[in-house]
Amino acid sequence: QVQLVESGGGSVQPGGSLKLSCAVTTHTGRRINMGWFRQAPGKGREGVGVIDTDLGIAWCADSLKGRFTISQDSAKNTLYLQMNNLQPDDTAMYYCGAGNIVATCSGSSIDYWGQGTQVTVSS
């Protein structure tokens, strides 16, 4: 019912920036709840930021605040993740997710996942 396609990943040096996109295709007229997540090698899935009930952004780690921003383009049905001042610890596969209920940082409520886009930060 829902398809998500991420793009925009790549390799950058520390301090660099990337903007990820998540194109959303749905087959229903119902609003879905979105979030960005990531998973580094050897680690579990980590929430990045999720859209809360007031359409604000709930950041899942303090270290992400001030460096990352989330925005959306309703006309294009696309969710974005702008990442600035990237550091090696940001290296991960980044996923967008969608669910029928409000997303949380744990990702437990996510019903649909994209294929992911790789972000690699190294010198």
Side-chain angles (χ1 to χ4, degrees):
Q1 291 185 317
V2 177
Q3 293 180 317
L4 309 172
V5 180
E6 301 97 331
S7 62
S11 298
V12 298
Q13 294 182 334
S17 298
L18 287 172
K19 187 174 184 178
L20 308 184
S21 299
C22 174
V24 183
T25 301
T26 67
H27 300 286
T28 71
R30 303 181 67 182
R31 182 173 62 87
I32 57 175
N33 303 280
M34 304 292 300
W36 282 100
F37 304 82
R38 66 186 185 182
Q39 186 168 15
K43 297 182 179 180
R45 183 180 59 220
E46 175 188 18
V48 175
V50 297
I51 300 175
D52 63 23
T53 55
D54 294 320
L55 302 183
I57 306 300
W59 297 104
C60 300
D62 289 340
S63 63
L64 302 176
K65 292 182 178 180
R67 296 195 299 124
F68 290 10
T69 58
I70 292 175
S71 61
Q72 63 183 35
D73 187 331
S74 297
K76 296 181 179 179
N77 211 21
T78 301
L79 188 73
Y80 301 98
L81 176 65
Q82 177 68 51
M83 305 184 293
N84 298 321
N85 193 23
L86 285 162
Q87 300 300 313
D89 285 348
D90 296 315
T91 296
M93 184 73 75
Y94 283 71
Y95 301 90
C96 61
N100 294 314
I101 61 176
V102 175
T104 61
C105 289
S106 70
S108 296
S109 64
I110 297 297
D111 299 309
Y112 310 97
W113 296 97
Q115 84 288 351
T117 185
Q118 180 67 42
V119 172
T120 301
V121 186
S122 65
S123 59

